[in-house]
Amino acid sequence: MIKKTTFIAALLAIVMAFPLASVASAQVTAATIVGTITDSSGGAMPGVTVTAKNVETGFTRTVPTNEVGAYRLEFLPIGQYSVDVELSGFKTVTRTGIVLNVNDTVKVDVALEVGGLSETITVEAEAPVVNTATADISKTVEAKAIE
């Protein structure tokens, strides 16, 4: 009789742990940068190379824009980023001062200007206080605040 009770208790513990495991796996510790690349007249620019670089660690991720000029850089570790936008025959644009916190989705739209390969435009920006890309609300909480 003791073995049956132990087995039932172990089975109950396993069943109770499944919902907790699914909640833990749903936690996101990364961020996303999205946007649209257009030309100076507002036309979509497919095939543009967009690179996000974490200025603190050197981590980079590169994606091309799709047929409507949109891009999505997902699963970026949190930190401060710069975004480079490049296409042959257009001026390279660099956006700096982009701060990503946990579960952020930051929108960085760029309008490219015709120019030489050696010309670069650098725009320093801060992440907006209100996230207009999604309805998610998130905030980084320091360990001291938790204590």
Side-chain angles (χ1 to χ4, degrees):
M1 190 62 143
I2 294 174
K3 290 182 181 181
K4 186 175 182 182
T5 306
T6 306
F7 175 74
I8 291 173
L11 185 61
L12 184 60
I14 291 171
V15 170
M16 296 296 284
F18 278 117
L20 295 176
S22 66
V23 170
S25 68
Q27 295 176 352
V28 177
T29 59
T32 303
I33 298 176
V34 299
T36 304
I37 310 302
T38 59
D39 60 17
S40 57
S41 67
M45 299 284 297
V48 177
T49 302
V50 181
T51 303
K53 180 179 181 180
N54 186 313
V55 297
E56 297 155 344
T57 65
F59 172 84
T60 61
R61 177 157 295 143
T62 302
V63 296
T65 57
N66 64 14
E67 63 277 353
V68 295
Y71 70 93
R72 185 173 189 88
L73 292 153
E74 296 183 292
F75 306 112
L76 299 172
I78 61 172
Q80 186 170 351
Y81 282 80
S82 65
V83 174
D84 293 326
V85 180
E86 301 175 277
L87 182 64
S88 180
F90 290 85
K91 295 178 184 177
T92 298
V93 176
T94 301
R95 293 278 173 95
T96 60
I98 301 165
V99 178
L100 298 179
N101 290 307
V102 174
N103 207 26
D104 277 353
T105 300
V106 175
K107 187 168 183 155
V108 179
D109 293 333
V110 175
L112 291 178
E113 297 177 17
V114 176
L117 296 176
S118 63
E119 295 183 65
T120 301
I121 299 172
T122 302
V123 179
E124 188 168 330
E126 288 188 26
V129 176
V130 177
N131 183 0
T132 59
T134 67
D136 296 339
I137 298 174
S138 65
K139 182 177 180 181
T140 302
V141 179
E142 302 294 328
K144 186 174 183 177
I146 294 171
E147 291 173 359

